[in-house]
Amino acid sequence: IGNQIFGLFQPNLSDRENYKLDTMEFRHTVARSFLLSYAFSFASFLLLVLLPYQKQEAQRRKREWSRRPAFGYITCGLLLLAFIYSMTVNFLTMIPETACLKLIGGSGC
């Protein structure tokens, strides 16, 4: 997803010429991309409230919360889809003919 998000930044972060020219506008774009990356990293800390505090709470949740194998299958399926998507996008960016696709953050072919 990062390739698609960073592909929206202008001037383009993938264009080597922007790094050589080193304009103030491009510096601001790079700074915004770093801020976005760190914001997503820090936002992941919000998920920590879902973890049990101690072993006793984990055992209580195991006893009292409902169990459904479908939850496990759905989780594994979503993780597999995310992995396949990420690998596909990463490989497409390595091939010069497909690196320009907007789907993967390019400027368009």
Side-chain angles (χ1 to χ4, degrees):
I1 294 176
N3 287 338
Q4 290 85 1
I5 293 172
F6 291 130
L8 299 174
F9 283 95
Q10 292 300 324
N12 194 345
L13 293 169
S14 299
D15 187 6
R16 290 183 181 195
E17 194 62 32
N18 288 327
Y19 291 94
K20 291 177 187 175
L21 294 175
D22 195 29
T23 63
M24 190 55 75
E25 180 186 11
F26 186 66
R27 287 182 179 213
H28 288 296
T29 302
V30 171
R32 284 192 301 272
S33 73
F34 273 98
L35 286 174
L36 183 65
S37 295
Y38 284 119
F40 274 104
S41 296
F42 287 123
S44 66
F45 286 129
L46 298 174
L47 297 175
L48 289 176
V49 298
L50 300 176
L51 295 175
Y53 294 111
Q54 296 293 328
K55 184 178 179 180
Q56 293 84 10
E57 186 177 352
Q59 290 173 341
R60 181 185 61 79
R61 287 184 185 186
K62 186 176 179 183
R63 276 191 316 272
E64 296 175 3
W65 288 16
S66 64
R67 294 182 200 177
R68 294 195 180 116
F71 293 155
Y73 294 130
I74 290 170
T75 302
C76 289
L78 288 174
L79 289 173
L80 181 64
L81 283 173
F83 178 73
I84 291 170
Y85 172 79
S86 121
M87 293 305 292
T88 302
V89 169
N90 283 329
F91 284 126
L92 286 174
T93 58
M94 293 180 203
I95 303 169
E97 292 83 23
T98 58
C100 61
L101 295 173
K102 284 192 175 199
L103 169 72
I104 57 172
S107 58
C109 296

